[in-house]
Structures are given as structure tokens and as C-alpha cells.
Amino acid sequence: MIQETGWMQIDPILSLFVCVLLLRSTIEILKESYHFLMEGVPHHVDYLQLKKDLLKIEDVLAIEGLHVWEVSPGHSMLIAHI
């Protein structure tokens, strides 16, 4: 790029731009990995609504220890004492 334009500052500016793109992607991957490793509730599951729906089932008196997590992308698990 320097040979074409003669502008010496273009190389560090483009390098910083690439670094910002890489950092942005890395942060997103780290956030997803952290959520997965900490067994967070999957983003598509409404935890409070799930508990309400389970309590609506006939003969269900209480729910203790409700835990929902993702074991692999797209595969969620649920465990609870009902």
C-alpha cells in the first residue's frame, strides 16, 4: 500500500484496524466460551417462564434446584427436584 500511495502512515493505520477486528472477534468468542464453561442458562431459554410453566403441570407442588445448561451447542439439559 505504501508503494502505491507513498503515504507512510497507512501501514500502521491498517495494522491497528486489523487488530481491532481480531480483538472484537476474540472478545465475542471469550464471552460465549465463558458462558458455556460456567454452565449458564442457554440464551434461548427463559428461566423464570420455564419454572412457571413447570408449576402449571398437574400435581407439581414445588420445584427445587432447577438448573438449565447447555451441554453442547444446541443441546440443553435440565435437572430439578419436582
Side-chain angles (χ1 to χ4, degrees):
M1 206 63 181
I2 294 173
Q3 286 179 337
E4 295 173 13
T5 63
W7 190 39
M8 297 295 289
Q9 292 82 8
I10 193 73
D11 190 41
I13 290 171
L14 289 176
S15 295
L16 286 175
F17 179 71
V18 169
C19 287
V20 168
L21 289 177
L22 289 172
L23 185 62
R24 188 173 147 198
S25 298
T26 302
I27 289 173
E28 189 62 33
I29 290 170
L30 287 175
K31 284 167 51 177
E32 288 178 29
S33 299
Y34 177 77
H35 184 78
F36 181 76
L37 290 172
M38 295 305 293
E39 296 183 348
V41 176
H43 298 295
H44 65 278
V45 174
D46 184 352
Y47 181 83
L48 297 176
Q49 186 61 46
L50 175 64
K51 189 170 185 175
K52 288 178 188 175
D53 291 343
L54 289 172
L55 285 170
K56 290 178 185 176
I57 297 173
E58 187 178 339
D59 296 329
V60 173
L61 304 176
I63 298 174
E64 300 292 329
L66 178 63
H67 183 68
V68 183
W69 72 100
E70 205 165 17
V71 292
S72 65
H75 294 92
S76 302
M77 296 290 286
L78 178 142
I79 189 169
H81 295 273
I82 298 178

